[in-house]
Amino acid sequence: MIKKDSHLFTSESVTEGHPDKVADQISDSILDAIFSEDPNGRVACETLVTTGLAFVAGEITTSCYVDVPVVVRKTIKEIGYTEPEYGFDYKTCGVIVAIQAQSPDISMGVDTGGAGDQGMMFGYAANETKELMPLPIMLAHKLTRQLSKIRKEKKVSYLRPDGKSQVTVEYLNGKPKRIEAVVLSAHHCPRTKIEAIRKDLKALVIDKIIPADLRDDKTKIFINPTGRFAVGGPLADTGITGRKIIVDTYGGVGSHGGGAFSGKDPSKVDRSASYYARYIAKNVVAAGLCEKCEIQLAYAIGVVQPVSLMINTFGTGKISDSEIKKLVWNNFDMSPRGIIEELHLRRPIYKKTAAYGHFGREEEGFSWEETDKAAALKKQA
């Protein structure tokens, strides 16, 4: 029985071989290729992948030349689609490119340091994991990363690039108490028996990632629940850039402004302001000002400063939300130009963000995960 003061929350993740993530990685690989030569390039790159085809379209203005088909094929190869029998592989897939220059009307606003579009962006942090992220999405990402790791290390011979995970956590009084359910689905060779897959993935993925102290005899584990996942990747489903926005962020915790990240240079506040909102929220929580924090920023195209800033600590603040808001205004430059400069966003760092989440990543290049302002916020508070 679930206790009356408890609730369940579920988040999912997907591997780098999931069709939508293939599209995201291609778009961000093209962005990285441009930024390697032209850090001031303007990029809005969309990708569609399906059986035997990758279609790249968008608006790009740059001073350099990028061989887009070469970048596309290299990315597909690195993901692991290397054999024609997968129905999609780097050697035989067709690559169609339809790219034009960015609208000069948009450039007018961006050139003066303003936002590249209107919209609202959210950031979130909570002290329930060391990464200051919600536990369900962190465990879901760790499962898919481990699944990809054992495939690449050939710990088992039958895995293919596609895959998904899902983790349900029971919360008691707002704190993670136990794991209610784990789902893991792995793309595999059609000749492999389901019994072997379930035995291997239980031992090599789930037992390695899901903490034993959060499991009990009521925890449900599902591995390839249909019994077969031989047809996967773009052969099974069409993938499109920007369709995994909840996987990319907080797993459904908090709010989302609706804007995707991949394929967009940082003049697009969909990406850069979302990164900065995470940076603000993480520093506020790391400073001990609250246990959880959600930030909303909103922008108007061509306007330098955000038109609104919202702070919500969900009643966990050690000081009032309005006081935290004053601290944020005093310590963070939320203009698009200020965000780009402070987080060093005009670098080729984006391909690795395009799978396993943009947040909670303690890796080189993820400057928005730094907590370098936490001490100052704590002192000023």
Side-chain angles (χ1 to χ4, degrees):
M1 288 288 292
I2 299 172
K3 297 177 179 62
K4 291 181 180 179
D5 53 354
S6 71
H7 73 274
L8 301 177
F9 194 89
T10 302
S11 295
E12 70 161 347
S13 179
V14 296
T15 67
E16 63 210 78
H18 185 281
D20 294 328
K21 282 288 133 196
V22 174
D24 283 343
Q25 288 166 93
I26 290 172
S27 293
D28 271 338
S29 293
I30 293 167
L31 172 61
D32 280 355
I34 290 168
F35 268 14
S36 294
E37 301 293 331
D38 177 17
N40 294 309
R42 301 273 172 78
V43 182
C45 181
E46 310 290 344
T47 303
L48 178 150
V49 293
T50 187
T51 306
L53 178 66
F55 191 112
V56 179
E59 295 73 46
I60 296 177
T61 300
T62 178
S63 61
C64 69
Y65 171 75
V66 170
D67 192 331
V68 172
V70 169
V71 174
V72 171
R73 295 185 190 281
K74 181 174 183 287
T75 304
I76 294 169
K77 181 181 180 181
E78 289 172 348
I79 292 168
Y81 285 106
T82 56
E83 302 298 331
E85 66 180 289
Y86 297 171
F88 182 82
D89 74 280
Y90 78 101
K91 288 182 180 178
T92 66
C93 75
V95 179
I96 299 174
V97 180
I99 290 172
Q100 58 190 335
Q102 183 187 70
S103 163
D105 295 346
I106 296 175
S107 298
M108 287 173 59
V110 176
D111 290 343
T112 59
D117 201 355
Q118 70 175 46
M120 63 283 189
M121 299 83 208
F122 290 88
Y124 182 85
N127 64 1
E128 59 189 73
T129 65
K130 67 181 180 64
E131 299 90 353
L132 302 185
M133 286 283 287
L135 180 62
I137 190 64
M138 288 308 301
L139 290 178
H141 283 323
K142 288 177 180 179
L143 287 170
T144 51
R145 293 193 83 162
Q146 178 70 6
L147 182 62
S148 180
K149 182 172 183 282
I150 67 167
R151 172 177 64 85
K152 292 178 177 179
E153 293 177 351
K154 301 188 185 304
K155 294 288 179 66
V156 293
S157 61
Y158 51 79
L159 287 177
R160 292 179 175 180
D162 201 353
K164 304 179 83 169
S165 70
Q166 186 172 280
V167 177
T168 301
V169 174
E170 181 184 351
Y171 285 78
L172 181 63
N173 298 324
K175 304 289 185 183
K177 183 191 176 190
R178 56 179 289 276
I179 304 296
E180 170 71 14
V182 178
V183 182
L184 187 66
S185 296
H187 185 196
H188 62 83
C189 168
R191 296 177 293 278
T192 310
K193 294 185 180 299
I194 186 61
E195 294 79 12
I197 294 171
R198 287 173 174 164
K199 179 182 177 183
D200 290 343
L201 298 190
K202 171 73 163 50
L204 296 174
V205 180
I206 290 176
D207 288 348
K208 296 285 187 183
I209 298 300
I210 302 299
D213 62 343
L214 290 177
R215 285 191 269 172
D216 55 32
D217 56 3
K218 295 181 181 178
T219 299
K220 297 180 280 291
I221 295 176
F222 303 95
I223 299 173
N224 282 26
T226 70
R228 186 174 174 86
F229 187 4
V231 180
L235 176 62
D237 294 293
T238 297
I240 301 176
T241 300
R243 282 207 306 205
K244 285 291 176 283
I245 60 175
I246 299 303
V247 171
D248 284 345
T249 51
Y250 309 101
V253 176
S255 306
H256 198 295
F261 301 155
S262 290
K264 297 177 181 177
D265 77 79
S267 72
K268 281 74 174 172
V269 283
D270 275 345
R271 181 169 221 158
S272 55
S274 294
Y275 288 0
Y276 206 66
R278 162 65 176 171
Y279 177 58
I280 297 170
K282 189 173 184 181
N283 275 272
V284 168
V285 173
L289 305 186
C290 55
E291 295 180 10
K292 59 180 72 173
C293 180
E294 182 174 82
I295 307 287
Q296 187 203 50
L297 297 172
Y299 292 84
I301 187 167
V303 178
V304 172
Q305 290 297 331
V307 298
S308 74
L309 164 67
M310 182 275 292
I311 310 284
N312 184 2
T313 63
F314 306 94
T316 69
K318 305 299 188 292
I319 59 176
S320 71
D321 291 359
S322 60
E323 290 176 294
I324 294 175
K325 185 176 179 179
K326 290 177 185 176
L327 290 172
V328 170
W329 274 118
N330 291 335
N331 287 273
F332 296 89
D333 182 355
M334 292 167 277
S335 68
R337 182 172 288 169
I339 292 170
I340 290 168
E341 291 176 356
E342 185 170 2
L343 298 183
H344 312 292
L345 296 181
R346 292 199 176 279
R347 297 180 290 160
I349 57 173
Y350 294 104
K351 182 193 172 188
K352 60 187 174 183
T353 70
Y356 311 113
H358 294 246
F359 307 126
R361 304 277 293 275
E362 297 176 342
E363 304 165 39
E364 197 281 327
F366 288 76
S367 52
W368 49 93
E369 292 295 315
E370 298 292 333
T371 54
D372 51 339
K373 293 194 176 183
L377 290 172
K378 186 175 182 178
K379 182 178 181 180
Q380 292 172 39

